[in-house]
Amino acid sequence: MLHRLLLLLFSCSMACAGDVYQKNQSMGKAESIKAFDHGVEIKTAEGTLIATVFSPTIIKMHFTKKSRESDTLSYAKRHDLQPSKAFKANESSDAYRIETDSLILSISKNPVRIRFSTKSGILINEDESAFGTSWIGEEVTTYKKLISDEKFIGMGEKTGGLNRRGEGFTHWNTDYFGYPTNADPIYMSTPFYIGLHESQGAKVMYGIFMDNSYKSHFNFGASNDRFSSFTTEDGDMVYYFIYHTTVPGIIESYTSITGRITLPPLWSLGFQQCRYSYYPDKEVLRIAETFREKKIPADVIYLDIHYMDKYKIFTWNQDRFPDPKGMISTLKQKGFNTAVIIDPGIKVEKGYSAYEQGVEQNLFLKYPDATDYTGQVWPGWCHFPDFTNPDTRTWWGNSFKDLVDVGIRGFWNDMNEPATWGQRFPDLVEFSFEGLKGTHRRGHNVYGMQMARATFEGTKDLLKGERPFILTRAGFSGVQRYSAVWTGDNVSSDDHMMLGIRMLSSLGIAGVPYVGMDIGGFSGNPSKELFARWISIGAFAPLSRAHVCVDNKDQEPWSFGERVEDIARNYLNLRYMMLPYIYSSFHEASQSGMPIWRSLAIEYPFDSKIYDGRYQHQFTIGKGLMIAPVNSVQEFTKVYFPGSQPWYDFYSDSKYAPGTEDHVDAPLEKLPAFVQGGSIIPMQSIIQHTGEKSSDTLFVHVYAANSGITNQQIYHDDGLTYSYEKGAYSHMNIIYDAGKKNITFEAPKGNYKTHHSVIAILLHGFDEVPKGMNINGTSTKAEKRSVSFMKALSNFDPLGGPAREGFMNVQAIHIPYPKAKTSIQW
Ligand code: GLC
């Protein structure tokens, strides 16, 4: 009897407990619909949806759970992003429709579910009909119907393959020394992806950016074949839906929301040498001098944590660096800029001014009882600046004054996940959020980005018109506005090098173009062969930096013997020769968000071959230079040649037909590289650092196309200041029309005068000598010249010496650097 009574009581308590056991709760029937200038607000018993149009290609979907206030603070989006009124809306008995010039959003009323289609009615993306947007407690997920052939790319700094289908990912910035090649999450979060599928015979693509910084989870059909989904553990479900017919168009729209890079200083595009740590000052100078003695070009040298007094930020270790200003100015004379590491942890130590000021002015993250949070990092117990507090950002920015005054121009933000020993930053720690208040749960993923922001804004102000260089480890969508990013503490292994390649490609798709990885691997010691391969590949990375952990063997270009030193010198020479092309690609990134290092998925998203495990590492620099990376134990590889133009071996000009796969030789000296027909690649003579002037000739390599019209922008400015914002740049468009057989240099725009006075046009793969050629109507002749990009060739002549056997023979035409439109016709 007692037993039965207890059972009854127990079942009653279960029933009465009601929603103690949280169930999935989806958006139900629309109860009210209210149109407004930029979209529509729809309320159901579960929550509110506000759909806002931002452009013909961008609609924001914002779901707030009933009983919550709508959350509008976003660090990811640009401050000046404005909604648009350019759309038509109409309502029927079962749906509300918003139609822009590019797409149709249809919101069914019962239940509220989302469908995006093209203007001709082709499905782009729709909710999983049973679940749509749903809550489990405070956690909210949007479920999208998975299409059988759907592929997913993007997500930024994530391990895994180029196609994310079948995988799941978490965004929670994590300090992960020597992360395994399948680790997730690691340092940075960019909750943005692109979906690709064929619907009703049409190739369709879209982008989704979930703008919420709580811990989030993305599922691309992992452990299910029904939906793709994105979940955030708290806050509102805010996502921007982007539709475009090309991946570059999607990236352009995405970066119109989250912003683009501003031009970094040109010197930061030179080679960067780092170590944990170079000290004392004599050692730093020795490294710099060795680059010059060995004629290996380089521009930047780093000081890691040992330059400080007891790892205290904004201090110097006086024994190791008694005269920082003197050392930095000597380095400057040698053509080196100095970058220093800056971690967020401020040592708790009476009398240490950063600590005293932070406590006094209330600038640190706090527990709910208003005491400063204390956690351990390099200096021991530390407080952490609250970078979501505008006062903290201003104070932080001003704190760089002394570093700027001694001549530092590079600021390397590390440990900003934020990292603490033990990795358990307590969730109750409070963040200001511009005075709106929040906890670590929401602040964690944006901490690194806000630190980079404060560093960028502060040093930019202090430098009074000069560009600072900022590098960060952690970040969130939008970090590209402030900083370059590197992929953290990688490992000296072939697998890690290949993973790094995929991550740089994926970061580019996620709107972060200024990226690099530690060349040689941070943890562990690479073999000679691995270092040689890594530096050959790293020479093409937007951020080209070698770095290595304390106690590991040296990782300078000369540390692995003469053969590797020669390889490193050759590839770094190539990088410096290509700086006009690389810098022009940076300019493009600043205008459209297009990455410099591009996954083939950007240009060929529907070519299934590029996702093949054998080819997924191939990437291009700018539009037309394709690298086919090879690991350190292989001496040949198979390459896929996408598109519809021929490809030319970069070192020999031998031709490969588009759509084919071929084995190519890859001795250690030769990283397979190919140029697509139609490409125009501007280069300069070899320099030892960017402060040195190249010769007066700009070498413009043009590769024969089958047909069609291609173009390339060449952008120059002083590389150092913001005077380009006032017109001090030179921006020239070059157009090559294979059908009409002409190359046109349009009149350069802007009022910056480049030091180049001559252009040597070097024609690759042009079977017939352009006969009867004329420049603006005056007939002229091409000369035969020989080019070699491979140091292994004797009499190496990178840019066009006299015609010789065994070299790439090209036709060369010299013209004065155009001031007005100049056409070459043959
Ligand atoms: C972290 C960084 C690494 C740096 C080290 C010491 O591990 O990722 O690059 O060298 O800290 O500052």
Side-chain angles (χ1 to χ4, degrees), residues 317-328:
N317 180 311
Q318 301 291 336
D319 296 333
R320 294 170 183 161
F321 297 94
D323 176 19
K325 195 168 186 171
M327 178 191 74
I328 288 157

Side-chain angles (χ1 to χ4, degrees), residues 17-29:
D19 50 10
V20 167
Y21 298 94
Q22 287 156 342
K23 285 199 294 193
N24 190 66
Q25 190 80 63
S26 302
M27 284 287 273
K29 183 178 172 205

Side-chain angles (χ1 to χ4, degrees), residues 703-747:
Y703 290 80
N706 284 340
S707 59
I709 302 173
T710 50
N711 79 314
Q712 172 70 38
Q713 314 275 337
I714 299 186
Y715 177 88
H716 292 285
D717 59 23
D718 67 10
L720 198 66
T721 72
Y722 291 93
S723 57
Y724 67 87
E725 287 172 353
K726 299 193 191 89
Y729 58 83
S730 161
H731 192 187
M732 179 167 64
N733 188 25
I734 308 177
I735 302 160
Y736 161 38
D737 188 330
K740 290 195 181 142
K741 299 189 173 187
N742 62 35
I743 298 172
T744 303
F745 293 76
E746 291 185 339

Side-chain angles (χ1 to χ4, degrees), residues 542-732:
L543 173 87
S544 185
R545 187 182 84 143
H547 184 34
V548 63
C549 191
V550 74
D551 295 336
N552 283 5
K553 289 187 188 156
D554 291 345
Q555 261 173 231
E556 289 88 40
W558 54 83
S559 312
F560 299 85
E562 272 177 31
R563 183 182 178 198
V564 178
E565 185 181 317
D566 272 353
I567 293 171
R569 183 185 299 102
N570 190 37
Y571 278 92
L572 294 178
N573 278 343
L574 257 180
R575 178 180 183 88
Y576 276 76
M577 280 156 54
M578 285 199 318
L579 278 178
Y581 183 56
I582 294 174
Y583 194 53
S584 299
S585 303
F586 266 82
H587 177 257
E588 188 185 352
S590 74
Q591 300 300 301
S592 68
M594 268 296 270
I596 294 114
W597 167 304
R598 299 178 189 171
S599 159
L600 294 187
I602 293 179
E603 222 38 71
Y604 314 99
F606 287 102
D607 182 340
S608 57
K609 277 263 165 61
I610 64 140
Y611 299 98
D612 186 311
R614 288 168 302 171
Y615 308 127
Q616 63 171 343
H617 297 98
Q618 291 178 211
F619 63 90
T620 65
I621 293 300
K623 255 184 276 192
L625 174 65
M626 179 170 75
I627 311 295
V630 190
N631 68 24
S632 67
V633 292
Q634 261 175 261
E635 295 242 312
F636 66 90
T637 192
K638 205 167 178 191
V639 179
Y640 174 58
F641 299 95
S644 56
Q645 293 287 353
W647 289 87
Y648 298 88
D649 183 300
F650 186 55
Y651 311 96
S652 69
D653 272 354
S654 37
K655 215 163 156 178
Y656 294 88
T660 61
E661 295 152 73
D662 221 324
H663 283 101
V664 302
D665 282 339
L668 207 55
E669 276 71 18
K670 193 183 109 180
L671 178 71
F674 307 87
V675 189
Q676 192 175 37
S679 299
I680 301 166
I681 302 192
M683 295 198 198
Q684 63 183 13
S685 64
I686 294 172
I687 48 176
Q688 295 308 302
H689 60 88
T690 57
E692 206 177 276
K693 269 203 169 62
S694 61
S695 76
D696 62 0
T697 306
L698 184 74
F699 299 84
V700 175
H701 293 263
V702 183
Y703 290 80
N706 284 340
S707 59
I709 302 173
T710 50
N711 79 314
Q712 172 70 38
Q713 314 275 337
I714 299 186
Y715 177 88
H716 292 285
D717 59 23
D718 67 10
L720 198 66
T721 72
Y722 291 93
S723 57
Y724 67 87
E725 287 172 353
K726 299 193 191 89
Y729 58 83
S730 161
H731 192 187
M732 179 167 64

Side-chain angles (χ1 to χ4, degrees), residues 175 177 187 274-277 304-306 341 343 378 412 414-415 473 486 488-489 518 522 545 547-550:
D175 170 23
F177 173 83
Y187 307 91
C274 191
R275 178 188 229 311
Y276 171 16
S277 306
D304 204 327
I305 52 176
H306 289 100
I341 197 165
D343 294 344
W378 300 119
W412 169 24
D414 188 25
M415 307 297 280
R473 193 170 70 175
W486 98 104
D489 298 344
D518 287 350
F522 181 68
R545 187 182 84 143
H547 184 34
V548 63
C549 191
V550 74

Side-chain angles (χ1 to χ4, degrees), residues 95-313:
Y96 189 90
R97 278 162 49 107
I98 285 181
E99 190 170 338
T100 72
D101 282 352
S102 300
L103 84 159
I104 299 168
L105 158 64
S106 169
I107 308 172
S108 66
K109 291 183 179 172
N110 189 14
V112 168
R113 296 287 179 269
I114 307 304
R115 184 180 203 274
F116 294 98
S117 56
T118 65
K119 300 276 280 184
S120 55
I122 293 167
L123 172 72
I124 305 169
N125 172 270
E126 66 182 333
D127 280 359
E128 206 288 340
S129 58
F131 310 137
T133 292
S134 308
W135 287 267
I136 302 174
E138 294 308 311
E139 179 178 293
V140 54
T141 301
T142 293
Y143 296 89
K144 296 291 186 185
K145 186 172 168 190
L146 192 59
I147 295 170
S148 60
D149 69 334
E150 202 164 13
K151 291 188 174 71
F152 301 93
I153 57 173
M155 300 294 280
E157 192 189 70
K158 289 287 170 199
T159 59
L162 172 59
N163 177 9
R164 306 303 195 178
R165 176 79 185 244
E167 298 185 59
F169 301 92
T170 293
H171 291 296
W172 187 250
N173 295 352
T174 302
D175 170 23
Y176 203 155
F177 173 83
Y179 49 98
T181 53
N182 60 356
D184 185 62
I186 54 173
Y187 307 91
M188 197 165 94
S189 301
T190 47
F192 169 68
Y193 69 89
I194 294 173
L196 306 148
H197 61 86
E198 291 195 34
S199 267
Q200 296 151 265
K203 293 179 165 62
V204 178
M205 59 183 91
Y206 62 88
I208 288 183
F209 164 48
M210 187 179 74
D211 187 8
N212 178 310
S213 64
Y214 283 93
K215 189 186 267 185
S216 65
H217 308 277
F218 282 65
N219 182 321
F220 298 111
S223 307
N224 93 85
D225 63 355
R226 190 168 169 179
F227 53 76
S228 60
S229 66
F230 37 98
T231 301
T232 166
E233 293 194 353
D234 207 334
D236 291 354
M237 170 53 72
V238 178
Y239 71 92
Y240 290 82
F241 188 84
I242 300 167
Y243 170 65
H244 212 282
T245 51
T246 64
V247 175
I250 294 178
I251 295 174
E252 186 160 4
S253 290
Y254 169 70
T255 54
S256 76
I257 303 166
T258 58
R260 303 182 181 128
I261 58 167
T262 55
L263 283 170
L266 181 61
W267 54 261
S268 72
L269 307 192
F271 181 64
Q272 310 192 353
Q273 183 68 47
C274 191
R275 178 188 229 311
Y276 171 16
S277 306
Y278 290 126
Y279 69 87
D281 48 3
K282 285 188 193 61
E283 173 67 358
V284 179
L285 292 168
R286 183 187 71 83
I287 296 290
E289 272 153 17
T290 311
F291 273 99
R292 298 300 176 242
E293 276 159 20
K294 291 186 171 288
K295 289 212 167 319
I296 299 174
D299 265 86
V300 185
I301 192 147
Y302 280 74
L303 305 182
D304 204 327
I305 52 176
H306 289 100
Y307 78 90
M308 293 176 276
D309 169 30
K310 294 188 261 168
Y311 305 142
K312 287 185 290 181
I313 308 306

